[in-house]
Amino acid sequence: MDPQQGPKKRGRKPKPKEDKKDEPQQPKMKDSKRTQHHVDDKYTQWKSLVPVLYDWLANHNLVWPSLSCRWGPQLEQSTFKNRQRLYLSEQTDGSVPNTLVIANCEVVKPRVAAADHISQFNEEARSPFVKKYKTIIHPGEVNRIRELPQNTKIVATHTDSPDVLIWDVEAQPNRHAVLGANNSRPDLILTGHQDNAEFALAMCPTEPYVLSGGKDKSVVLWSIQDHIASSTTDPSKSAGSGGSIIKQNPEGNDKTSDGPTVGPRGIYYGHEDTVEDVAFCPTSAQEFCSVGDDSCLILWDARVGSSPVVKVEKAHNADLHCVDWNPHEDNLILTGSADNSVRMFDRRNLTSNGIGSPIHKFEGHKAAVLCVQWSPDKSSVFGSSAEDGLLNIWDYEKVGKKVEQGARSPSAPAGLFFQHAGHRDKVVDFHWNSSDPWTIVSVSDDCDTTGGGGTLQIWRMSDLIYRPEDEVIAELEKFKSHVVSCSAKP
């Protein structure tokens, strides 16, 4: 990154100057200050409630901003905590190289952490639960990281280039990130974009397929099936012990300096502006969707050609930044936008009179939504993070239902049942943990507020918040009777 430039705005690429000439500048500055004031107020209030709201919270101050964080494989289980890989990026100012970081994370088990321990954290401290394990010197900034579901030791990364880079993180050598150090060599390079592909990236749940979108307005699909050894399907085999599980020089087209390349399986055109995010259907490697700065949501099917199956015009009233497909119910798709909202679509009934017709609009953010993701633990629950510094947790089953007395304020948006306000700047990425239920890792780019790096937080809300009401009441009654019986003893 050019030291003279600030960090890139996730999902909000600067428009050409001619697009900006008529825009009033002053109101934008006021909006920015108002948003930051809102974040500060929320953070102060949140910090006082941490011992009540959370079962566990780890705060890890980052030296550099990070634009992506992802859980890797679980490594070890023990009585009070589990050890798991964590992937994140370091977006530097050019004084040292940009890196892809592989960390080991100690994930404390439910109902183990004491409330006083949870509340005693320092915003500037580096958590003892997160330890750097390996550094890969990345050729350019890491904008997006995605792990391969069939083997989470294989990750794909996006940078400011047309290529997608594939890494076997266990086989890659550990590097020391010093100025002038050579870049690490990707295990595979996926080619096919004609312009930079920076954020839109997905791995297929059912096959080793990779999907990408970029500034060339295209969606590109690759299969890396033929380039991965059979150990991919057997996570018990350690890639680190026997070299890379990615086959080198698979087709004799090895570029010695960069790494072997793989061409696309298909290129799909239908967007009229930058493609900002992509997602696979959870039950089909041939079906996928994409969203972009043209305000469109497009569904594709590789079996029927390279044109859209359904194109949803005006899915939102602004650029779309993110999309996710429900892993439990494959008719439901989430989208997040610069119009500050999250929308839920049913693919059986996407449009009305040619315009996007969502099942519901979730309107609880005060700034552009940057990331949406369905929970792996409950089919109706999802998270959304935004430039307002908040990570909201929603349950669409709660929409339209009578709210229990005192459960939430009357002004709270429908479906919103938890708000993580631990970040003091835009929450650029988060990831639910599929190995530890209801556990989330989230990262914010704090440069605008602190002039520093970012904040990584790993957290799990109290189970009293998401468990069924009758269960919680029964537990409280049991606790109350225990207190009464203890106090009655002489």
Side-chain angles (χ1 to χ4, degrees), residues 457-476:
Q457 292 182 337
I458 303 158
W459 52 276
R460 181 172 52 240
M461 71 182 82
S462 167
D463 62 2
L464 298 176
I465 294 170
Y466 62 79
R467 280 168 55 199
E469 184 187 8
D470 53 350
E471 274 187 30
V472 174
I473 290 173
E475 185 162 328
L476 290 173

PDB file of all heavy atoms in Angstrom, residues 457-476:
ATOM      1  N   GLN A 457     -11.600  -9.281  17.769  1.00  0.00           N
ATOM      2  CA  GLN A 457     -12.314  -9.743  18.958  1.00  0.00           C
ATOM      3  C   GLN A 457     -12.913 -11.116  18.710  1.00  0.00           C
ATOM      4  O   GLN A 457     -13.438 -11.378  17.621  1.00  0.00           O
ATOM      5  CB  GLN A 457     -13.408  -8.739  19.360  1.00  0.00           C
ATOM      6  CG  GLN A 457     -12.824  -7.429  19.870  1.00  0.00           C
ATOM      7  CD  GLN A 457     -13.875  -6.429  20.313  1.00  0.00           C
ATOM      8  OE1 GLN A 457     -15.011  -6.479  19.888  1.00  0.00           O
ATOM      9  NE2 GLN A 457     -13.469  -5.500  21.175  1.00  0.00           N
ATOM     10  N   ILE A 458     -12.797 -11.978  19.702  1.00  0.00           N
ATOM     11  CA  ILE A 458     -13.406 -13.302  19.659  1.00  0.00           C
ATOM     12  C   ILE A 458     -14.391 -13.343  20.814  1.00  0.00           C
ATOM     13  O   ILE A 458     -14.021 -13.055  21.951  1.00  0.00           O
ATOM     14  CB  ILE A 458     -12.338 -14.407  19.789  1.00  0.00           C
ATOM     15  CG1 ILE A 458     -11.304 -14.240  18.670  1.00  0.00           C
ATOM     16  CG2 ILE A 458     -12.974 -15.782  19.711  1.00  0.00           C
ATOM     17  CD1 ILE A 458      -9.986 -14.887  18.955  1.00  0.00           C
ATOM     18  N   TRP A 459     -15.632 -13.663  20.533  1.00  0.00           N
ATOM     19  CA  TRP A 459     -16.654 -13.502  21.569  1.00  0.00           C
ATOM     20  C   TRP A 459     -17.813 -14.477  21.396  1.00  0.00           C
ATOM     21  O   TRP A 459     -18.042 -15.005  20.321  1.00  0.00           O
ATOM     22  CB  TRP A 459     -17.166 -12.068  21.587  1.00  0.00           C
ATOM     23  CG  TRP A 459     -17.635 -11.529  20.264  1.00  0.00           C
ATOM     24  CD1 TRP A 459     -16.860 -10.978  19.284  1.00  0.00           C
ATOM     25  CD2 TRP A 459     -18.974 -11.511  19.767  1.00  0.00           C
ATOM     26  NE1 TRP A 459     -17.645 -10.605  18.223  1.00  0.00           N
ATOM     27  CE2 TRP A 459     -18.943 -10.913  18.482  1.00  0.00           C
ATOM     28  CE3 TRP A 459     -20.210 -11.919  20.292  1.00  0.00           C
ATOM     29  CZ2 TRP A 459     -20.089 -10.731  17.718  1.00  0.00           C
ATOM     30  CZ3 TRP A 459     -21.357 -11.741  19.527  1.00  0.00           C
ATOM     31  CH2 TRP A 459     -21.284 -11.149  18.260  1.00  0.00           C
ATOM     32  N   ARG A 460     -18.484 -14.701  22.511  1.00  0.00           N
ATOM     33  CA  ARG A 460     -19.672 -15.555  22.528  1.00  0.00           C
ATOM     34  C   ARG A 460     -20.653 -14.944  23.508  1.00  0.00           C
ATOM     35  O   ARG A 460     -20.324 -14.729  24.682  1.00  0.00           O
ATOM     36  CB  ARG A 460     -19.275 -16.977  22.957  1.00  0.00           C
ATOM     37  CG  ARG A 460     -20.416 -17.969  22.991  1.00  0.00           C
ATOM     38  CD  ARG A 460     -19.920 -19.396  23.225  1.00  0.00           C
ATOM     39  NE  ARG A 460     -19.048 -19.476  24.385  1.00  0.00           N
ATOM     40  CZ  ARG A 460     -17.773 -19.878  24.354  1.00  0.00           C
ATOM     41  NH1 ARG A 460     -17.214 -20.226  23.210  1.00  0.00           N
ATOM     42  NH2 ARG A 460     -17.060 -19.921  25.444  1.00  0.00           N
ATOM     43  N   MET A 461     -21.828 -14.614  23.027  1.00  0.00           N
ATOM     44  CA  MET A 461     -22.848 -14.031  23.908  1.00  0.00           C
ATOM     45  C   MET A 461     -23.291 -15.047  24.952  1.00  0.00           C
ATOM     46  O   MET A 461     -23.128 -16.261  24.773  1.00  0.00           O
ATOM     47  CB  MET A 461     -24.053 -13.547  23.094  1.00  0.00           C
ATOM     48  CG  MET A 461     -24.894 -14.653  22.511  1.00  0.00           C
ATOM     49  SD  MET A 461     -26.289 -14.064  21.514  1.00  0.00           S
ATOM     50  CE  MET A 461     -25.480 -13.748  19.950  1.00  0.00           C
ATOM     51  N   SER A 462     -23.848 -14.572  26.048  1.00  0.00           N
ATOM     52  CA  SER A 462     -24.380 -15.462  27.082  1.00  0.00           C
ATOM     53  C   SER A 462     -25.482 -16.329  26.486  1.00  0.00           C
ATOM     54  O   SER A 462     -26.318 -15.857  25.710  1.00  0.00           O
ATOM     55  CB  SER A 462     -24.953 -14.626  28.230  1.00  0.00           C
ATOM     56  OG  SER A 462     -25.736 -15.438  29.088  1.00  0.00           O
ATOM     57  N   ASP A 463     -25.496 -17.601  26.862  1.00  0.00           N
ATOM     58  CA  ASP A 463     -26.520 -18.489  26.298  1.00  0.00           C
ATOM     59  C   ASP A 463     -27.926 -18.138  26.793  1.00  0.00           C
ATOM     60  O   ASP A 463     -28.921 -18.585  26.216  1.00  0.00           O
ATOM     61  CB  ASP A 463     -26.191 -19.959  26.566  1.00  0.00           C
ATOM     62  CG  ASP A 463     -26.143 -20.313  28.047  1.00  0.00           C
ATOM     63  OD1 ASP A 463     -26.399 -19.432  28.885  1.00  0.00           O
ATOM     64  OD2 ASP A 463     -25.820 -21.472  28.367  1.00  0.00           O
ATOM     65  N   LEU A 464     -28.022 -17.322  27.848  1.00  0.00           N
ATOM     66  CA  LEU A 464     -29.336 -16.873  28.316  1.00  0.00           C
ATOM     67  C   LEU A 464     -30.014 -15.982  27.283  1.00  0.00           C
ATOM     68  O   LEU A 464     -31.227 -15.800  27.301  1.00  0.00           O
ATOM     69  CB  LEU A 464     -29.201 -16.116  29.638  1.00  0.00           C
ATOM     70  CG  LEU A 464     -28.642 -16.912  30.825  1.00  0.00           C
ATOM     71  CD1 LEU A 464     -28.473 -16.007  32.029  1.00  0.00           C
ATOM     72  CD2 LEU A 464     -29.549 -18.090  31.158  1.00  0.00           C
ATOM     73  N   ILE A 465     -29.225 -15.440  26.350  1.00  0.00           N
ATOM     74  CA  ILE A 465     -29.773 -14.524  25.341  1.00  0.00           C
ATOM     75  C   ILE A 465     -30.439 -15.279  24.199  1.00  0.00           C
ATOM     76  O   ILE A 465     -31.494 -14.878  23.710  1.00  0.00           O
ATOM     77  CB  ILE A 465     -28.660 -13.598  24.807  1.00  0.00           C
ATOM     78  CG1 ILE A 465     -28.175 -12.676  25.934  1.00  0.00           C
ATOM     79  CG2 ILE A 465     -29.134 -12.788  23.610  1.00  0.00           C
ATOM     80  CD1 ILE A 465     -26.932 -11.883  25.596  1.00  0.00           C
ATOM     81  N   TYR A 466     -29.843 -16.401  23.774  1.00  0.00           N
ATOM     82  CA  TYR A 466     -30.379 -17.070  22.583  1.00  0.00           C
ATOM     83  C   TYR A 466     -31.143 -18.355  22.870  1.00  0.00           C
ATOM     84  O   TYR A 466     -31.830 -18.875  21.991  1.00  0.00           O
ATOM     85  CB  TYR A 466     -29.257 -17.359  21.577  1.00  0.00           C
ATOM     86  CG  TYR A 466     -28.162 -18.276  22.067  1.00  0.00           C
ATOM     87  CD1 TYR A 466     -28.324 -19.651  22.108  1.00  0.00           C
ATOM     88  CD2 TYR A 466     -26.934 -17.757  22.495  1.00  0.00           C
ATOM     89  CE1 TYR A 466     -27.319 -20.492  22.554  1.00  0.00           C
ATOM     90  CE2 TYR A 466     -25.920 -18.588  22.939  1.00  0.00           C
ATOM     91  CZ  TYR A 466     -26.117 -19.949  22.963  1.00  0.00           C
ATOM     92  OH  TYR A 466     -25.125 -20.774  23.408  1.00  0.00           O
ATOM     93  N   ARG A 467     -31.054 -18.869  24.101  1.00  0.00           N
ATOM     94  CA  ARG A 467     -31.778 -20.099  24.396  1.00  0.00           C
ATOM     95  C   ARG A 467     -33.283 -19.846  24.473  1.00  0.00           C
ATOM     96  O   ARG A 467     -33.721 -18.732  24.750  1.00  0.00           O
ATOM     97  CB  ARG A 467     -31.274 -20.703  25.710  1.00  0.00           C
ATOM     98  CG  ARG A 467     -29.974 -21.470  25.537  1.00  0.00           C
ATOM     99  CD  ARG A 467     -29.335 -21.819  26.848  1.00  0.00           C
ATOM    100  NE  ARG A 467     -30.226 -22.541  27.735  1.00  0.00           N
ATOM    101  CZ  ARG A 467     -30.032 -22.634  29.055  1.00  0.00           C
ATOM    102  NH1 ARG A 467     -29.014 -22.046  29.635  1.00  0.00           N
ATOM    103  NH2 ARG A 467     -30.872 -23.319  29.800  1.00  0.00           N
ATOM    104  N   PRO A 468     -34.118 -20.878  24.257  1.00  0.00           N
ATOM    105  CA  PRO A 468     -35.576 -20.708  24.352  1.00  0.00           C
ATOM    106  C   PRO A 468     -35.981 -20.158  25.712  1.00  0.00           C
ATOM    107  O   PRO A 468     -35.397 -20.508  26.743  1.00  0.00           O
ATOM    108  CB  PRO A 468     -36.110 -22.135  24.153  1.00  0.00           C
ATOM    109  CG  PRO A 468     -35.042 -22.838  23.376  1.00  0.00           C
ATOM    110  CD  PRO A 468     -33.746 -22.234  23.832  1.00  0.00           C
ATOM    111  N   GLU A 469     -36.995 -19.303  25.706  1.00  0.00           N
ATOM    112  CA  GLU A 469     -37.409 -18.594  26.923  1.00  0.00           C
ATOM    113  C   GLU A 469     -37.780 -19.544  28.055  1.00  0.00           C
ATOM    114  O   GLU A 469     -37.415 -19.312  29.214  1.00  0.00           O
ATOM    115  CB  GLU A 469     -38.605 -17.689  26.588  1.00  0.00           C
ATOM    116  CG  GLU A 469     -39.050 -16.830  27.756  1.00  0.00           C
ATOM    117  CD  GLU A 469     -40.331 -16.087  27.450  1.00  0.00           C
ATOM    118  OE1 GLU A 469     -40.951 -16.361  26.402  1.00  0.00           O
ATOM    119  OE2 GLU A 469     -40.714 -15.245  28.258  1.00  0.00           O
ATOM    120  N   ASP A 470     -38.486 -20.642  27.722  1.00  0.00           N
ATOM    121  CA  ASP A 470     -38.912 -21.556  28.787  1.00  0.00           C
ATOM    122  C   ASP A 470     -37.716 -22.221  29.470  1.00  0.00           C
ATOM    123  O   ASP A 470     -37.725 -22.441  30.682  1.00  0.00           O
ATOM    124  CB  ASP A 470     -39.880 -22.616  28.254  1.00  0.00           C
ATOM    125  CG  ASP A 470     -39.339 -23.354  27.040  1.00  0.00           C
ATOM    126  OD1 ASP A 470     -38.303 -22.916  26.496  1.00  0.00           O
ATOM    127  OD2 ASP A 470     -39.935 -24.383  26.641  1.00  0.00           O
ATOM    128  N   GLU A 471     -36.659 -22.509  28.684  1.00  0.00           N
ATOM    129  CA  GLU A 471     -35.438 -23.086  29.261  1.00  0.00           C
ATOM    130  C   GLU A 471     -34.781 -22.108  30.231  1.00  0.00           C
ATOM    131  O   GLU A 471     -34.343 -22.480  31.318  1.00  0.00           O
ATOM    132  CB  GLU A 471     -34.439 -23.412  28.153  1.00  0.00           C
ATOM    133  CG  GLU A 471     -34.615 -24.766  27.512  1.00  0.00           C
ATOM    134  CD  GLU A 471     -33.463 -25.066  26.549  1.00  0.00           C
ATOM    135  OE1 GLU A 471     -32.338 -24.570  26.789  1.00  0.00           O
ATOM    136  OE2 GLU A 471     -33.713 -25.774  25.569  1.00  0.00           O
ATOM    137  N   VAL A 472     -34.685 -20.861  29.812  1.00  0.00           N
ATOM    138  CA  VAL A 472     -34.033 -19.837  30.636  1.00  0.00           C
ATOM    139  C   VAL A 472     -34.811 -19.619  31.927  1.00  0.00           C
ATOM    140  O   VAL A 472     -34.234 -19.550  33.023  1.00  0.00           O
ATOM    141  CB  VAL A 472     -33.905 -18.511  29.850  1.00  0.00           C
ATOM    142  CG1 VAL A 472     -33.374 -17.405  30.753  1.00  0.00           C
ATOM    143  CG2 VAL A 472     -33.003 -18.691  28.638  1.00  0.00           C
ATOM    144  N   ILE A 473     -36.143 -19.535  31.827  1.00  0.00           N
ATOM    145  CA  ILE A 473     -36.976 -19.325  33.021  1.00  0.00           C
ATOM    146  C   ILE A 473     -36.833 -20.496  33.989  1.00  0.00           C
ATOM    147  O   ILE A 473     -36.703 -20.303  35.206  1.00  0.00           O
ATOM    148  CB  ILE A 473     -38.452 -19.130  32.613  1.00  0.00           C
ATOM    149  CG1 ILE A 473     -38.620 -17.782  31.902  1.00  0.00           C
ATOM    150  CG2 ILE A 473     -39.369 -19.202  33.837  1.00  0.00           C
ATOM    151  CD1 ILE A 473     -39.991 -17.572  31.308  1.00  0.00           C
ATOM    152  N   ALA A 474     -36.809 -21.727  33.448  1.00  0.00           N
ATOM    153  CA  ALA A 474     -36.660 -22.910  34.302  1.00  0.00           C
ATOM    154  C   ALA A 474     -35.321 -22.878  35.023  1.00  0.00           C
ATOM    155  O   ALA A 474     -35.233 -23.218  36.215  1.00  0.00           O
ATOM    156  CB  ALA A 474     -36.787 -24.179  33.453  1.00  0.00           C
ATOM    157  N   GLU A 475     -34.272 -22.457  34.323  1.00  0.00           N
ATOM    158  CA  GLU A 475     -32.949 -22.393  34.942  1.00  0.00           C
ATOM    159  C   GLU A 475     -32.898 -21.311  36.028  1.00  0.00           C
ATOM    160  O   GLU A 475     -32.314 -21.512  37.091  1.00  0.00           O
ATOM    161  CB  GLU A 475     -31.885 -22.135  33.883  1.00  0.00           C
ATOM    162  CG  GLU A 475     -30.473 -22.171  34.457  1.00  0.00           C
ATOM    163  CD  GLU A 475     -29.425 -22.355  33.383  1.00  0.00           C
ATOM    164  OE1 GLU A 475     -29.692 -23.025  32.375  1.00  0.00           O
ATOM    165  OE2 GLU A 475     -28.310 -21.826  33.574  1.00  0.00           O
ATOM    166  N   LEU A 476     -33.518 -20.166  35.752  1.00  0.00           N
ATOM    167  CA  LEU A 476     -33.544 -19.089  36.744  1.00  0.00           C
ATOM    168  C   LEU A 476     -34.333 -19.511  37.986  1.00  0.00           C
ATOM    169  O   LEU A 476     -33.952 -19.188  39.114  1.00  0.00           O
ATOM    170  CB  LEU A 476     -34.147 -17.820  36.130  1.00  0.00           C
ATOM    171  CG  LEU A 476     -33.289 -17.119  35.067  1.00  0.00           C
ATOM    172  CD1 LEU A 476     -34.060 -15.978  34.425  1.00  0.00           C
ATOM    173  CD2 LEU A 476     -31.980 -16.618  35.658  1.00  0.00           C
TER     174      LEU A 476
END
